[in-house]
Amino acid sequence: MIEDKVYAARSILVVGAHAFDAEVIAGPLAAVAAARGAAVTFLHLSMGEQGHPCLIPEHYCAQKEEEAGRAAARLGIASRNLGLRDAFLPADDETALKLCDVIRELRPEVVITHWHGSWHKDHRAAAHLTQTGIFFSALPTLKRGHAAHTPQLLLFGENWEDDEGFKPEHLVDVSDGFGAWAEAVREYELARGLSSFPYVDYYSALYRLRGCLRGTQYAQAFAAASHSWNAGSGLFAPPVRQGLGR
Ligand SMILES: [Zn+2]
């Protein structure tokens, strides 16, 4: 079961296009995993610094870095900023190699990122960069600062902007992480009325809805990578023994 695999992981990496994305696609899950002893890292590809109606990007970037740090502390996790430019995330190999380096350094068993079916170009880029970063990380012939590493599981989280073709294939119980998540996201001005979109209402209701279907108070939904990608690029499945009875 996916849930058992997620919570058995010692290291989990969540890649979000903008600070606040990782928090909504895997925040409650991260709080549960961290409380159970996992090392969880949120990697923000950009801070989403173009998203304030009044502040210039430099000032909003500094504000969001502080907000992300306080949110991570409430979840009991680490956060990093790759420092890419909001609205201009480059979906290229050079940037994917930066993700490769983080994956090789942190050696996560589980990686979570955006679903590719998004109206937002940065979210599509984040999904692509994460998959390509894993592909590069797994390549033993690619020499970088750290040794090759292959995660065991890649999941795509649920985000209101990434709803094109998203299927909630797996539901993970996050009941014990909801309280920490609710406090963590309110560290962001974005969750306190800056945006016209009611983030906290939407995600609180969504996690409860998924929980109703999971049979728990709260749950988060995830889609899995295709079998062919896992088998070919990800190499996640352990080698199959040839022959029976051995
Ligand atoms: Zn975003």
Side-chain angles (χ1 to χ4, degrees):
M1 197 174 176
I2 290 283
E3 186 173 296
D4 297 333
K5 258 189 166 179
V6 167
Y7 289 136
R10 286 159 296 165
S11 176
I12 298 175
L13 175 65
V14 184
V15 181
H18 314 103
F20 198 78
D21 281 322
E23 282 83 350
V24 298
I25 64 178
L29 179 149
V32 176
R36 295 185 184 190
V40 183
T41 302
F42 283 0
L43 177 64
H44 308 303
L45 299 183
S46 82
M47 296 313 291
E49 68 276 8
Q50 314 256 20
H52 202 288
C54 311
L55 293 177
I56 61 171
E58 289 76 11
H59 290 177
Y60 190 40
C61 185
Q63 176 182 319
K64 281 197 86 176
E65 280 175 351
E66 287 181 11
E67 292 170 342
R70 289 199 298 271
R74 287 196 181 272
L75 295 170
I77 65 158
S79 81
R80 292 187 183 197
N81 172 19
L82 208 59
L84 302 173
R85 188 178 171 203
D86 181 16
F88 294 92
L89 289 191
D92 57 19
D93 288 348
E94 187 185 343
T95 310
L97 283 169
K98 293 179 182 175
L99 266 87
C100 160
D101 290 342
V102 174
I103 293 163
R104 285 188 175 192
E105 177 194 341
L106 298 177
R107 307 184 75 74
E109 292 102 329
V110 176
V111 177
I112 301 171
T113 190
H114 292 264
W115 174 247
H116 61 79
S118 178
W119 67 262
H120 199 306
K121 64 187 286 292
D122 283 351
H123 291 199
R124 295 196 301 273
H128 172 78
L129 288 166
T130 304
Q131 279 196 264
T132 309
I134 290 173
F135 174 75
F136 285 152
S137 174
L139 266 184
T141 52
L142 181 63
K143 302 301 178 199
R144 305 288 292 175
H146 297 277
H149 171 71
T150 305
Q152 297 167 7
L153 183 64
L154 170 63
L155 294 174
F156 306 107
E158 193 166 21
N159 184 305
W160 76 278
E161 290 159 304
D162 309 341
D163 62 342
E164 194 180 316
F166 179 84
K167 288 194 175 65
E169 297 174 67
H170 303 283
L171 301 178
V172 175
D173 178 13
V174 298
S175 303
D176 293 342
F178 181 81
W181 170 82
E183 292 182 353
V185 286
R186 286 186 174 87
E187 294 289 356
Y188 283 95
E189 187 184 1
L190 199 55
R192 301 193 306 267
L194 175 67
S195 167
S196 59
F197 187 77
Y199 282 100
V200 175
D201 288 353
Y202 179 87
Y203 284 102
S204 298
L206 181 67
Y207 304 151
R208 177 69 189 111
L209 181 152
R210 297 305 184 202
C212 290
L213 298 173
R214 170 69 181 80
T216 57
Q217 188 65 24
Y218 294 103
Q220 286 201 265
F222 298 90
S226 70
H227 295 305
S228 66
W229 192 83
N230 285 345
S233 302
L235 306 174
F236 297 157
V240 177
R241 286 174 181 270
Q242 297 299 313
L244 297 171
R246 284 193 284 168

